[in-house]
Amino acid sequence: RKEVEQDPGPFNVPEGATVAFNCTYSNSASQSFFWYRQDCRKEPKLLMSVYSSGNEDGRFTAQLNRASQYISLLIRDSKLSDSATYLCVVAKAAGNKLTFGGGTRVLVKP
Amino acid sequence: GAVVSQHPSRVICKSGTSVKIECRSLDFQATTMFWYRQFPKKSLMLMATSNEGSKATYEQGVEKDKFLINHASLTLSTLTVTSAHPEDSSFYICSARGLSGTYNEQFFGPGTRLTVL
């Protein structure tokens, strides 16, 4: 079983719609959780950290469910520029080595 | 702040040659740098963790004699792919983590696309 699993998609999303997807992780000792965004042929960029209480950054909302060992990302009012691959990333502690999921591809269409 | 650069951004080489990739933290000191490899449509796989002034720690399955890592200063780490073969063609990305309490998260370089003919 992979340490971090994601639905590869693609999720085809009409512009303005809401899309949500999850990521599951296998290591219960994981302490730090992140969503990164990666555009084609580019490096990953941190989208947001995921906190236990859940957090929101503009149109993006992340949730963590430790009991079921998954995190989620919800994107509201999708923009064309949201089209990217979203990488779920887990670490045992802040600053430690990161374990990446395979990514979920999102395509926002007009 | 927290900018990481990589050089070169793209390299094409012949089979059997060695290629050196540089990773620099431009505006902070990085005690730890990480080297990743990403094959097409796959996720990033950690190759090794490099701490300044000490030997790199390689992940299982990564040949340390083939992928030489040097982290000689707090702002520079290099990855040398020795005797490159076509199967080494990949996107190599480094990340850097700052001193404790400073930029504790990892910041990624723009990546180096290696093509071995």
Side-chain angles (χ1 to χ4, degrees), chain B residues 1-113:
Chain B
V3 177
V4 177
S5 71
Q6 272 184 251
H7 177 80
S9 58
R10 180 187 296 264
V11 58
I12 301 172
C13 69
K14 292 182 180 179
S15 187
T17 60
S18 293
V19 176
K20 181 186 281 189
I21 302 170
E22 292 185 350
C23 177
R24 293 181 185 272
S25 57
L26 298 185
D27 51 2
F28 69 102
Q29 292 181 317
T31 50
T32 305
M33 287 184 172
F34 303 85
W35 286 96
Y36 297 84
R37 181 168 51 183
Q38 186 176 33
F39 291 107
K41 298 190 177 183
K42 299 291 185 182
S43 192
L44 277 75
M45 295 298 294
L46 180 65
M47 298 175 67
T49 302
S50 166
N51 290 298
E52 186 266 339
S54 62
K55 289 184 179 180
T57 302
Y58 289 80
E59 294 299 302
Q60 193 172 11
V62 178
E63 299 175 58
K64 62 180 181 180
D65 294 330
K66 181 169 181 64
F67 298 99
L68 302 179
I69 291 173
N70 184 283
H71 192 165
S73 78
L74 286 172
T75 58
L76 173 65
S77 176
T78 60
L79 167 68
T80 301
V81 183
T82 62
S83 187
H85 291 286
E87 57 265 31
D88 298 324
S89 298
S90 188
F91 191 43
Y92 292 86
I93 307 175
C94 73
S95 70
R97 188 179 79 203
L99 295 168
S100 177
T102 305
Y103 296 128
N104 208 23
E105 64 184 90
Q106 292 183 32
F107 295 91
F108 286 84
T112 296
R113 193 160 300 279

Side-chain angles (χ1 to χ4, degrees), chain A residues 5-63:
Chain A
E5 294 206 63
Q6 294 182 249
D7 182 337
F11 284 65
N12 293 299
V13 185
E15 190 176 9
T18 296
V19 61
F21 42 89
N22 293 340
C23 154
T24 59
Y25 60 96
S26 61
N27 190 339
S28 59
S30 301
Q31 294 294 325
S32 298
F33 308 90
F34 311 90
W35 283 105
Y36 277 73
R37 170 195 170 124
Q38 186 174 28
D39 294 293
C40 189
R41 304 175 79 87
K42 299 284 187 182
E43 78 276 22
K45 294 190 176 177
L46 180 64
L47 180 66
M48 59 197 302
S49 301
V50 186
Y51 303 120
S52 296
S53 55
N55 47 302
E56 187 174 309
D57 183 0
R59 298 180 294 107
F60 298 85
T61 301
Q63 298 279 353

